[in-house]
Amino acid sequence: MNMHVFDEAIALQAQDDGSFTGQTHAGYANMVGPFGGTTAAQMLQAVLQHPERLGDPVSLTVNFCAAVADGAFTLQARPARTNRSTQHWTIELLQDDLVVMTATALTAVRRETWSTDELTMPAAKPPQDTPLPEQHTAPMAFVQRYELRVVGGGFPTEWNGGDSGTSLTQLWLRDNPPRPLDFASLASMSDIFFPRIIVRRASPTPVGTVSMTIYFHADSAALARTGTGYLLGQARGQAFHNGFFDQTAQLWNEAGELLVTTHQIVYYKS
Amino acid sequence: MNMHVFDEAIALQAQDDGSFTGQTHAGYANMVGPFGGTTAAQMLQAVLQHPERLGDPVSLTVNFCAAVADGAFTLQARPARTNRSTQHWTIELLQDDLVVMTATALTAVRRETWSTDELTMPAAKPPQDTPLPEQHTAPMAFVQRYELRVVGGGFPTEWNGGDSGTSLTQLWLRDNPPRPLDFASLASMSDIFFPRIIVRRASPTPVGTVSMTIYFHADSAALARTGTGYLLGQARGQAFHNGFFDQTAQLWNEAGELLVTTHQIVYYKS
């Protein structure tokens, strides 16, 4: 059986000094450089594969400090503080000895408690009844790595430069080809929502995520329940102000479990 | 004129090795140790007072790795990457040479662009018509440092252990006594919302924030426009699952400008 392309992309090599090396993957290329979601997943992998790791991911913040160049990189993950059931991590991604990304993460051993999802899944036609795009016009390779079925708020079909008054997108998604969900793919999918200003304005705008935070509500049991099923993703911007806007997003599985809440702040030029 | 108590609390002393020292302040004490908002503000101050700083805060993520003890601490802020108009920071707070908090931040020189607030301020009676609590029953000192006028979703008046079905809180707030808003006070106010599980369940629950992210949409002009006016704060939890819940919050000024969007993930035991 062939390795899934996502597993190829997030493969890391442990080094004698405790660091990891990895490389960008042509299958997850963005317009320039790699898709940020895959890079976030690679940074998380440096924690997941670390011999001192305690528990599963609860939160991850990645900062896109400079453009990641296509090619090799080094990851340094360090447990900054280890408690009885939680562990705090600092991570850096370097290219040519320069810091390109910084990150912090929390892993924890979870215990069963009273639990509920307050934000319920929005009503949407099931994925099977939500059409695939008629043709993939996006030139970026990573878009082909996801099966994306847009419920509403899709990529503009024409640049009319107006103001739609809303940046809300809802879509079904899963890996293409399907792959059982894990923390790394959930991290990558958290960055699937294209820049909110594009939905709001339908105007070509230079953009770049500068920081993204992911809260994993899913534990390994919820991942197993989800398997290769679809996720419903929802994203919207809250404020756009003088060069930076935010976007807040959620990912539910088909059963309506809220697996991830995520936020990012994005540079834009207009 | 006396120094404002918040300025006393966030005062740092620059050291010869580039680090800063500071101390917790009894005026901002929580049940045990200091109020996390003040600690976040102190970490931000280490960036704001750093001689190499470029621009104003755009994002801040603080991780509460272990309990901050009352007393002195050391702050180390390092510019991980400096670009033409943006700068990425890593920050650590140490006590007895152990890492107690980690943080990352982005500062940037903003330029005027097309701007809008997509999430508009919820309707609420003006602060003057929203009563102060009849008596301050909260034993924590920091609560007295804020003028809090609850619009809805206040601290439960009795522990009935039910499930209200919602964790939404809306309140007006400002420093007590009033103080012109700045980035540090905005960081501290971002943590003013008491744990969402308390609103949802009205049951005494051990809790502790483990990570908080703040996106500053306000620039210095917006801070100046706000001055000592009230902010409308809104917070709610999205998911509560096996030991961790999130809360997402917003702060608007009286004119309805969205100054901050913020998120945190909180440990709970139930």
Side-chain angles (χ1 to χ4, degrees), chain B residues 14-194:
Chain B
Q15 304 299 304
D16 289 342
D17 65 357
S19 69
F20 294 91
T21 57
Q23 43 284 317
T24 62
H25 191 292
Y28 288 89
N30 204 339
M31 293 285 274
V32 177
F35 169 48
T38 314
T39 309
Q42 289 163 331
M43 296 194 81
L44 184 60
Q45 281 298 102
V47 171
L48 293 174
Q49 296 187 7
H50 198 287
E52 294 173 44
R53 173 173 60 97
L54 175 74
D56 288 330
V58 170
S59 96
L60 173 69
T61 294
V62 294
N63 301 289
F64 299 82
C65 304
V68 178
D70 291 324
F73 54 77
T74 299
L75 283 167
Q76 293 172 342
R78 175 176 65 91
R81 184 89 186 210
T82 302
N83 301 311
R84 203 170 44 181
S85 65
T86 61
Q87 193 172 44
H88 284 267
W89 293 85
T90 59
I91 314 147
E92 288 189 342
L93 186 152
L94 299 101
Q95 289 187 312
D96 293 331
D97 295 326
L98 285 173
V99 174
V100 178
M101 309 261 306
T102 60
T104 57
L106 169 73
T107 55
V109 178
R110 285 181 184 264
R111 290 182 179 79
E112 202 169 318
T113 63
W114 176 86
S115 298
T116 194
D117 291 334
E118 183 160 325
L119 197 66
T120 51
M121 184 164 71
K125 276 196 294 193
Q128 295 76 8
D129 299 339
T130 307
L132 282 167
E134 289 186 25
Q135 51 181 6
H136 275 292
T137 52
M140 302 87 88
F142 86 89
V143 176
Q144 319 296 326
R145 301 287 86 70
Y146 292 97
E147 188 185 324
L148 300 169
R149 295 170 180 265
V150 175
V151 176
F155 205 88
T157 49
E158 58 169 338
W159 297 123
N160 60 31
D163 182 351
S164 67
T166 176
S167 66
L168 181 67
T169 289
Q170 295 174 333
L171 52 77
W172 292 104
L173 78 157
R174 61 175 178 175
D175 282 309
N176 177 23
R179 175 181 176 279
L181 195 68
D182 59 14
F183 290 110
S185 62
L186 208 43
S188 188
M189 289 176 188
S190 296
D191 194 34
I192 200 63
F193 304 98
F194 51 97

Side-chain angles (χ1 to χ4, degrees), chain A residues 67-89:
Chain A
V68 178
D70 291 325
F73 53 78
T74 299
L75 283 167
Q76 294 172 341
R78 177 175 64 90
R81 184 90 187 209
T82 302
N83 301 311
R84 203 169 43 182
S85 65
T86 62
Q87 192 172 44
H88 284 267
W89 293 85

Side-chain angles (χ1 to χ4, degrees), chain A residues 30-51:
Chain A
N30 203 338
M31 292 285 274
V32 177
F35 169 49
T38 313
T39 309
Q42 290 162 331
M43 295 194 82
L44 184 60
Q45 281 299 101
V47 172
L48 293 174
Q49 297 188 5
H50 198 286

Side-chain angles (χ1 to χ4, degrees), chain A residues 58-59 61 63-66 78 80-81 83 86 88 90 92 98-100 102 104 106 108 110-119 163 165-168 197 200-201 210-211 213 215 217 219 236-244 246 250 258 261 263-265 268 270, chain B residues 58-59 61 63-66 78 80-81 83 86 88 90 92 98-100 102 104 106 108 110-119 163 165-168 197 200-201 210-211 213 215 217 219 236-244 246 250 258 261 263-265 268 270:
Chain A
V58 170
S59 97
T61 295
N63 300 289
F64 299 82
C65 304
R78 177 175 64 90
R81 184 90 187 209
N83 301 311
T86 62
H88 284 267
T90 60
E92 288 189 341
L98 285 173
V99 174
V100 179
T102 60
T104 57
L106 169 74
R110 285 180 183 263
R111 290 182 178 80
E112 203 169 319
T113 63
W114 176 87
S115 299
T116 194
D117 292 333
E118 182 160 327
L119 198 66
D163 182 352
T166 177
S167 65
L168 180 68
I197 197 165
R200 177 88 199 216
R201 299 200 77 198
V210 287
S211 185
T213 291
Y215 298 148
H217 303 294
D219 49 23
R236 79 178 301 172
Q238 301 183 111
F240 305 74
H241 189 69
N242 286 354
F244 295 90
D246 72 340
Q250 299 86 25
L258 185 46
T261 52
H263 317 282
Q264 58 179 264
I265 187 140
Y268 70 103
S270 73
Chain B
V58 170
S59 96
T61 294
N63 301 289
F64 299 82
C65 304
R78 175 176 65 91
R81 184 89 186 210
N83 301 311
T86 61
H88 284 267
T90 59
E92 288 189 342
L98 285 173
V99 174
V100 178
T102 60
T104 57
L106 169 73
R110 285 181 184 264
R111 290 182 179 79
E112 202 169 318
T113 63
W114 176 86
S115 298
T116 194
D117 291 334
E118 183 160 325
L119 197 66
D163 182 351
T166 176
S167 66
L168 181 67
I197 197 164
R200 177 89 199 218
R201 299 201 76 199
V210 286
S211 185
T213 290
Y215 297 148
H217 304 293
D219 50 23
R236 78 178 302 172
Q238 301 183 110
F240 305 73
H241 190 69
N242 285 356
F244 296 90
D246 72 339
Q250 300 86 25
L258 186 45
T261 53
H263 317 283
Q264 57 179 264
I265 187 138
Y268 69 103
S270 74

